[in-house]
Protein backbone atom coordinates (compact mmCIF):
# COMPACT_ATOMS: atom_id res chain seq x y z
CA UNK A 1 0.00 0.00 0.00
CA UNK A 2 2.78 2.40 0.91
CA UNK A 3 4.26 1.87 -2.55
CA UNK A 4 1.30 3.31 -4.40
CA UNK A 5 1.77 6.70 -6.01
CA UNK A 6 -1.37 8.07 -4.33
CA UNK A 7 0.44 7.66 -1.04
CA UNK A 8 3.42 9.63 -2.34
CA UNK A 9 1.12 12.43 -3.49
CA UNK A 10 -0.55 12.46 -0.11
CA UNK A 11 2.80 12.68 1.72
CA UNK A 12 3.91 15.53 -0.56
CA UNK A 13 0.66 17.45 0.05
CA UNK A 14 0.96 16.90 3.79
CA UNK A 15 4.47 18.42 3.72
CA UNK A 16 3.27 21.29 1.53
CA UNK A 17 0.36 22.02 3.88
CA UNK A 18 2.78 22.19 6.81
CA UNK A 19 4.93 24.41 4.55
CA UNK A 20 1.99 26.81 4.48
CA UNK A 21 2.22 27.07 8.27
CA UNK A 22 6.02 27.46 8.00
CA UNK A 23 5.38 30.54 5.80
CA UNK A 24 3.42 32.05 8.68
CA UNK A 25 6.34 31.30 11.05
CA UNK A 26 8.87 32.79 8.60
CA UNK A 27 6.85 36.00 8.34
CA UNK A 28 5.78 36.40 11.97
CA UNK A 29 8.60 35.03 14.18
CA UNK A 30 11.14 37.80 13.32
CA UNK A 31 8.35 40.37 13.80
CA UNK A 32 7.58 38.87 17.20
CA UNK A 33 3.95 38.20 16.42
CA UNK A 34 1.88 35.20 17.42
CA UNK A 35 2.04 32.34 14.94
CA UNK A 36 -1.47 31.09 15.79
CA UNK A 37 -3.53 34.29 15.84
CA UNK A 38 -4.82 36.15 13.88
CA UNK A 39 -5.46 34.02 10.78
CA UNK A 40 -3.42 34.74 7.63
CA UNK A 41 -4.14 38.05 5.96
CA UNK A 42 -2.72 39.99 3.03
CA UNK A 43 0.16 42.13 4.40
CA UNK A 44 -0.89 44.94 2.01
CA UNK A 45 -4.67 45.34 2.39
CA UNK A 46 -5.26 43.20 5.47
CA UNK A 47 -8.06 41.13 3.94
CA UNK A 48 -8.33 37.59 5.30
CA UNK A 49 -7.09 34.80 3.08
CA UNK A 50 -9.99 32.51 2.22
CA UNK A 51 -9.50 28.75 2.77
CA UNK A 52 -9.85 28.07 -0.98
CA UNK A 53 -6.95 30.47 -1.69
CA UNK A 54 -4.88 28.86 1.06
CA UNK A 55 -4.47 25.52 -0.73
CA UNK A 56 -0.69 24.91 -0.89
CA UNK A 57 0.99 25.91 -4.18
CA UNK A 58 -2.29 25.59 -6.15
CA UNK A 59 -3.88 28.55 -4.35
CA UNK A 60 -0.99 30.77 -5.44
CA UNK A 61 -1.14 29.56 -9.04
CA UNK A 62 -4.93 29.98 -9.30
CA UNK A 63 -4.65 33.56 -8.02
CA UNK A 64 -1.90 34.29 -10.55
CA UNK A 65 0.39 35.28 -7.66
CA UNK A 66 -1.80 38.22 -6.61
CA UNK A 67 -4.03 39.05 -3.63
CA UNK A 68 -7.71 38.41 -4.47
CA UNK A 69 -8.82 41.76 -2.99
CA UNK A 70 -6.12 44.33 -3.74
CA UNK A 71 -4.21 42.51 -6.51
CA UNK A 72 -0.84 43.24 -4.90
CA UNK A 73 1.87 40.74 -5.89
CA UNK A 74 2.41 37.87 -3.45
CA UNK A 75 6.02 36.76 -3.05
CA UNK A 76 7.04 33.59 -4.93
CA UNK A 77 8.60 32.56 -1.64
CA UNK A 78 5.22 31.31 -0.35
CA UNK A 79 4.67 28.56 -2.95
CA UNK A 80 8.43 27.87 -3.02
CA UNK A 81 8.51 27.11 0.73
CA UNK A 82 5.43 24.90 0.36
CA UNK A 83 6.94 22.98 -2.56
CA UNK A 84 10.31 22.67 -0.81
CA UNK A 85 8.74 21.32 2.38
CA UNK A 86 6.56 18.96 0.34
CA UNK A 87 9.63 17.56 -1.41
CA UNK A 88 11.67 17.23 1.79
CA UNK A 89 8.77 15.36 3.42
CA UNK A 90 8.47 13.08 0.42
CA UNK A 91 12.23 12.30 0.42
CA UNK A 92 12.17 11.62 4.18
CA UNK A 93 9.26 9.27 3.68
CA UNK A 94 11.04 7.43 0.86
CA UNK A 95 14.13 7.01 3.04
CA UNK A 96 12.60 6.26 6.45
CA UNK A 97 9.00 5.19 5.73
CA UNK A 98 6.44 6.00 8.44
CA UNK A 99 8.87 5.40 11.31
CA UNK A 100 9.49 7.48 14.46
CA UNK A 101 12.67 8.65 12.69
CA UNK A 102 10.52 10.05 9.89
CA UNK A 103 8.48 12.20 12.28
CA UNK A 104 11.48 13.42 14.25
CA UNK A 105 13.37 14.38 11.09
CA UNK A 106 10.23 15.92 9.62
CA UNK A 107 10.12 18.26 12.61
CA UNK A 108 13.86 18.91 12.31
CA UNK A 109 13.77 19.64 8.55
CA UNK A 110 10.73 21.92 8.91
CA UNK A 111 12.64 23.92 11.53
CA UNK A 112 15.59 24.20 9.12
CA UNK A 113 13.33 25.56 6.37
CA UNK A 114 12.04 28.28 8.72
CA UNK A 115 15.56 29.13 9.94
CA UNK A 116 16.91 29.35 6.38
CA UNK A 117 14.35 31.82 5.08
CA UNK A 118 14.39 33.99 8.23
CA UNK A 119 18.20 34.12 8.19
CA UNK A 120 18.26 35.03 4.47
CA UNK A 121 15.93 37.97 5.03
CA UNK A 122 16.79 39.22 8.51
CA UNK A 123 20.27 37.78 9.26
CA UNK A 124 18.98 36.34 12.53
CA UNK A 125 18.11 32.88 13.79
CA UNK A 126 15.31 33.04 16.36
CA UNK A 127 16.11 31.52 19.76
CA UNK A 128 12.53 30.27 19.83
CA UNK A 129 13.61 27.73 17.20
CA UNK A 130 17.25 26.98 18.03
CA UNK A 131 16.96 26.83 21.83
CA UNK A 132 13.69 24.90 21.85
CA UNK A 133 15.20 22.71 19.14
CA UNK A 134 18.09 21.84 21.47
CA UNK A 135 15.61 20.82 24.18
CA UNK A 136 13.39 18.83 21.80
CA UNK A 137 16.34 17.09 20.12
CA UNK A 138 17.78 16.03 23.46
CA UNK A 139 14.38 14.95 24.81
CA UNK A 140 13.84 12.77 21.73
CA UNK A 141 17.19 11.06 22.27
CA UNK A 142 16.22 10.30 25.89
CA UNK A 143 12.67 9.12 25.11
CA UNK A 144 13.43 7.22 21.90
CA UNK A 145 17.11 6.25 22.04
CA UNK A 146 18.60 4.54 19.01
CA UNK A 147 15.84 5.37 16.59
CA UNK A 148 17.40 2.95 14.18
CA UNK A 149 18.41 5.25 11.38
CA UNK A 150 18.01 3.03 8.40
CA UNK A 151 20.81 3.47 5.94
CA UNK A 152 22.41 6.10 8.09
CA UNK A 153 25.55 6.37 10.20
CA UNK A 154 23.83 7.02 13.44
CA UNK A 155 21.35 5.64 15.83
CA UNK A 156 21.69 8.19 18.53
CA UNK A 157 21.37 7.84 22.28
CA UNK A 158 21.22 10.65 24.81
CA UNK A 159 25.03 10.72 25.18
CA UNK A 160 25.46 11.27 21.44
CA UNK A 161 22.90 14.06 21.63
CA UNK A 162 24.45 15.73 24.67
CA UNK A 163 27.97 15.58 23.24
CA UNK A 164 26.46 16.82 19.97
CA UNK A 165 25.09 19.93 21.68
CA UNK A 166 28.44 20.73 23.30
CA UNK A 167 30.50 19.84 20.21
CA UNK A 168 28.19 21.75 17.85
CA UNK A 169 27.96 24.89 19.95
CA UNK A 170 31.56 24.69 21.18
CA UNK A 171 33.25 24.26 17.82
CA UNK A 172 31.55 27.30 16.28
CA UNK A 173 32.21 29.29 19.43
CA UNK A 174 35.93 28.62 18.94
CA UNK A 175 35.74 29.53 15.23
CA UNK A 176 33.81 32.74 16.02
CA UNK A 177 36.28 33.71 18.75
CA UNK A 178 39.28 32.98 16.50
CA UNK A 179 37.77 34.98 13.63
CA UNK A 180 37.15 37.91 15.94
CA UNK A 181 40.73 37.78 17.26
CA UNK A 182 42.19 37.71 13.74
CA UNK A 183 39.98 40.27 12.01
CA UNK A 184 38.71 42.37 14.93
CA UNK A 185 35.26 41.97 13.33
CA UNK A 186 32.30 39.94 14.39
CA UNK A 187 31.76 37.25 11.76
CA UNK A 188 29.81 34.32 13.07
CA UNK A 189 26.66 35.21 14.96
CA UNK A 190 25.48 33.64 18.19
CA UNK A 191 22.50 32.34 16.21
CA UNK A 192 24.75 30.06 14.13
CA UNK A 193 26.33 28.67 17.30
CA UNK A 194 22.94 27.78 18.79
CA UNK A 195 21.77 26.36 15.46
CA UNK A 196 24.71 23.96 15.20
CA UNK A 197 24.11 22.95 18.85
CA UNK A 198 20.53 22.13 17.86
CA UNK A 199 21.77 20.03 14.94
CA UNK A 200 24.06 18.14 17.32
CA UNK A 201 21.09 17.54 19.62
CA UNK A 202 19.01 15.96 16.84
CA UNK A 203 21.71 14.21 14.80
CA UNK A 204 24.34 13.39 17.41
CA UNK A 205 27.96 14.55 17.64
CA UNK A 206 28.88 12.25 14.72
CA UNK A 207 27.19 14.71 12.36
CA UNK A 208 29.12 17.81 13.46
CA UNK A 209 32.40 17.42 11.50
CA UNK A 210 30.42 16.58 8.37
CA UNK A 211 28.09 19.59 8.74
CA UNK A 212 30.97 22.00 9.43
CA UNK A 213 33.02 20.66 6.52
CA UNK A 214 30.21 20.63 3.94
CA UNK A 215 28.66 23.96 4.96
CA UNK A 216 32.02 25.79 4.90
CA UNK A 217 32.83 24.27 1.51
CA UNK A 218 29.51 25.28 -0.05
CA UNK A 219 29.55 28.59 1.84
CA UNK A 220 32.95 29.58 0.46
CA UNK A 221 32.03 28.63 -3.12
CA UNK A 222 28.81 30.65 -2.95
CA UNK A 223 30.51 33.48 -1.02
CA UNK A 224 33.34 33.87 -3.53
CA UNK A 225 30.87 33.75 -6.43
CA UNK A 226 28.73 36.46 -4.83
CA UNK A 227 31.73 38.67 -4.08
CA UNK A 228 32.94 38.34 -7.68
CA UNK A 229 29.55 39.05 -9.28
CA UNK A 230 28.34 41.71 -6.88
CA UNK A 231 29.18 45.41 -6.83
CA UNK A 232 32.38 46.10 -4.91
CA UNK A 233 30.82 48.44 -2.35
CA UNK A 234 28.19 45.90 -1.40
CA UNK A 235 28.34 45.26 2.33
CA UNK A 236 25.34 42.96 2.64
CA UNK A 237 26.46 40.13 4.93
CA UNK A 238 26.01 36.57 3.71
CA UNK A 239 24.18 34.62 6.44
CA UNK A 240 25.76 31.28 7.38
CA UNK A 241 22.60 29.61 8.74
CA UNK A 242 21.31 28.46 5.32
CA UNK A 243 24.65 26.71 4.62
CA UNK A 244 24.55 24.95 7.98
CA UNK A 245 20.98 23.88 7.18
CA UNK A 246 22.08 22.59 3.79
CA UNK A 247 24.96 20.64 5.38
CA UNK A 248 22.58 19.10 7.92
CA UNK A 249 20.17 18.05 5.15
CA UNK A 250 23.05 16.50 3.21
CA UNK A 251 23.95 14.55 6.33
CA UNK A 252 20.38 13.37 6.87
CA UNK A 253 19.96 12.13 3.29
CA UNK A 254 23.47 11.18 2.14
CA UNK A 255 25.72 11.35 5.20
CA UNK A 256 26.58 7.69 5.31
CA UNK A 257 27.22 7.34 1.57
CA UNK A 258 29.29 10.54 1.38
CA UNK A 259 31.45 9.64 4.38
CA UNK A 260 32.09 6.13 3.03
CA UNK A 261 32.90 7.59 -0.40
CA UNK A 262 35.24 10.15 1.15
CA UNK A 263 37.06 7.59 3.29
CA UNK A 264 37.27 5.25 0.29
CA UNK A 265 38.81 8.07 -1.71
CA UNK A 266 41.55 8.39 0.90
CA UNK A 267 42.08 4.62 0.85
CA UNK A 268 42.27 4.60 -2.95
CA UNK A 269 44.84 7.41 -2.96
CA UNK A 270 47.01 5.64 -0.42
CA UNK A 271 46.66 2.20 -1.95
ZN1 LIG B 1 -4.39 42.38 -0.49
Amino acid sequence: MTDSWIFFVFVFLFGAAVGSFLNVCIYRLPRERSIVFPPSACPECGSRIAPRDNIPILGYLLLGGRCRSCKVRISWQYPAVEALNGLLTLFLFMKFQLSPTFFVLFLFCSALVVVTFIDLEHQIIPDSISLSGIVVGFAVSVLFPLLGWRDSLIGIGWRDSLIGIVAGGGSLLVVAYGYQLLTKKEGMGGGDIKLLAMMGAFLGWQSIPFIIFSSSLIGSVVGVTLIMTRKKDSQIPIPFGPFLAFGALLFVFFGRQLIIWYLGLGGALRG
Side-chain angles (χ1 to χ4, degrees):
M1 195 272 253
T2 51
D3 285 335
S4 93
W5 64 272
I6 302 246
F7 210 83
F8 286 109
V9 172
F10 177 78
V11 169
F12 174 83
L13 288 178
F14 168 72
V18 172
S20 206
F21 170 69
L22 301 185
N23 274 320
V24 174
C25 298
I26 292 167
Y27 185 79
R28 293 188 186 175
L29 278 180
R31 294 171 174 83
E32 297 193 344
R33 291 194 215 158
S34 160
I35 52 173
V36 283
F37 188 84
S40 303
C42 167
E44 190 66 27
C45 68
S47 68
R48 287 263 295 271
I49 295 169
R52 60 176 166 167
D53 296 335
N54 224 347
I55 304 165
I57 308 166
L58 212 60
Y60 180 88
L61 295 178
L62 290 176
L63 286 169
R66 289 176 184 279
C67 167
R68 186 179 286 279
S69 314
C70 71
K71 304 293 174 209
V72 75
R73 265 202 180 286
I74 305 166
S75 165
W76 58 267
Q77 192 178 302
Y78 288 91
V81 165
E82 288 161 357
L84 174 67
N85 208 59
L87 282 177
L88 284 175
T89 310
L90 183 60
F91 295 156
L92 282 175
F93 173 72
M94 288 160 77
K95 196 170 168 71
F96 301 105
Q97 279 74 51
L98 277 186
S99 58
T101 307
F102 167 83
F103 289 102
V104 171
L105 290 179
F106 170 69
L107 198 68
F108 178 66
C109 290
S110 299
L112 292 187
V113 170
V114 174
V115 161
T116 295
F117 284 90
I118 290 180
D119 203 11
L120 281 174
E121 191 182 339
H122 304 273
Q123 284 81 49
I124 54 159
I125 295 170
D127 283 349
S128 54
I129 296 183
S130 57
L131 292 185
S132 43
I134 293 173
V135 174
V136 171
F138 181 68
V140 164
S141 76
V142 173
L143 296 172
F144 312 103
L146 303 170
L147 277 174
W149 290 59
R150 286 164 41 95
D151 200 25
S152 173
L153 255 189
I154 44 176
I156 76 163
W158 67 268
R159 284 183 199 83
D160 304 300
S161 177
L162 193 61
I163 300 171
I165 296 169
V166 177
S171 51
L172 272 199
L173 201 63
V174 170
V175 172
Y177 187 67
Y179 182 86
Q180 213 166 350
L181 273 185
L182 286 173
T183 62
K184 312 269 181 256
K185 279 189 293 189
E186 200 175 320
M188 195 90 49
D192 298 317
I193 294 169
K194 283 172 264 183
L195 178 64
L196 192 60
M198 164 185 154
M199 292 169 173
F202 271 92
L203 304 177
W205 63 268
Q206 296 89 334
S207 67
I208 299 299
F210 180 92
I211 294 174
I212 293 181
F213 180 73
S214 54
S215 60
S216 334
L217 191 69
I218 303 159
S220 15
V221 171
V222 173
V224 167
T225 314
L226 279 179
I227 289 166
M228 278 162 59
T229 53
R230 214 148 68 167
K231 290 191 191 74
K232 279 209 175 63
D233 53 343
S234 172
Q235 283 291 321
I236 307 161
I238 303 163
F240 195 55
F243 298 113
L244 286 172
F246 193 76
L249 287 181
L250 273 184
F251 183 81
V252 165
F253 288 107
F254 308 109
R256 183 185 173 85
Q257 292 95 317
L258 284 174
I259 289 171
I260 290 174
W261 172 79
Y262 186 76
L263 295 179
L265 208 64
L269 289 177
R270 274 194 305 271

